[in-house]
Amino acid sequence: MHSKPAAIAALLAGFMLGAPPALAEPSLALGLPVDAAELDRISITVYPNGRGLPAGSGSVREGKQLYAQQCAACHGAKGIEGPASRLAGSDGFIAWNDPLRILRIRKQPLLVLSVGAQWPYATSLFDYVRRAMPHHAPKSLGSDEVYAVTAYVLRLNGLLDDDATLDRASLPRIVMPGLARGVSAWPMESAGGAASGADALTAPRTP
């Protein structure tokens, strides 16, 4: 009569000798291959140092006309009236050059913050306009139009002159007022991004 340990050993040996072959990794067969051209079309992220900016250009004057057609209904003629987020001016409830702001904020709380004062990089403004604006038709603007609208919003913030034109070389050099209000994880100097001091396209000014 076999002992109990010997019976267990024989049972385990039988399982090992007759074990089925290892199963192949399952294939879910989800998704479709994406070629380089399609990937370029949907890869539209613009980084603080300007990587990802497309060819093209746009002027403040062109942007003013586009802004009136596509943006003013939500952001106001001067970018401060709302009801959508305020584009120009300093953050906060009051400002010496905008004494009625507190009344607008009481009605539209979003207006307490300003894109022009809060956002640290001008390239982020381009990225957001291209992918999300105008609200009723996102991604409908061409690259030249996005450069133009971006230029005009920067003009509303006193960061560009009336005759300025932006492209992928000049836009990353804009110094936004919000840059000095936070800590950046981007090595901008080594990445060829936003300049400072005499190398900047314009010095930061808060209207």
Side-chain angles (χ1 to χ4, degrees):
M1 189 173 183
H2 296 289
S3 65
K4 189 173 182 180
I8 294 174
L11 184 62
L12 292 175
F15 275 118
M16 294 178 64
L17 292 174
L23 297 176
E25 288 292 328
S27 176
L28 300 179
L30 295 176
L32 296 171
V34 179
D35 60 30
E38 177 67 11
L39 190 59
D40 287 342
R41 187 183 70 82
I42 61 178
S43 180
I44 61 173
T45 298
V46 176
Y47 294 86
N49 62 6
R51 179 162 64 92
L53 282 170
S57 64
S59 69
V60 170
R61 290 189 175 91
E62 294 165 340
K64 183 176 182 179
Q65 183 176 355
L66 281 166
Y67 182 90
Q69 296 168 350
Q70 303 284 358
C71 314
C74 292
H75 294 283
K78 297 180 180 180
I80 63 174
E81 297 90 349
S85 298
R86 188 157 52 86
L87 302 180
S90 58
D91 283 344
F93 289 90
I94 57 174
W96 289 111
N97 62 347
D98 188 9
L100 299 181
R101 181 188 301 174
I102 185 63
L103 300 180
R104 296 195 300 271
I105 291 173
R106 183 178 180 183
K107 184 177 180 181
Q108 304 289 345
L110 277 177
L111 299 180
V112 71
L113 297 177
S114 166
V115 169
Q118 185 181 36
W119 289 19
Y121 302 112
T123 51
S124 299
L125 178 59
F126 181 99
D127 182 291
Y128 189 79
V129 171
R130 179 165 68 163
R131 73 173 65 240
M133 293 289 119
H135 184 69
H136 63 274
K139 296 187 177 72
S140 63
L141 300 179
S143 295
D144 290 346
E145 293 174 310
V146 179
Y147 276 117
V149 170
T150 301
Y152 185 66
V153 172
L154 293 172
R155 176 67 189 97
L156 290 176
N157 283 276
L159 297 173
L160 287 178
D161 295 328
D162 288 333
D163 59 352
T165 297
L166 286 182
D167 56 22
R168 61 183 173 187
S170 58
L171 179 58
R173 297 175 58 204
I174 300 292
V175 178
M176 299 290 283
L179 183 62
R181 299 174 61 184
V183 177
S184 174
W186 290 90
M188 299 302 295
E189 291 77 12
S190 61
S196 60
D199 293 330
L201 182 65
T202 181
R205 303 193 299 272
T206 301

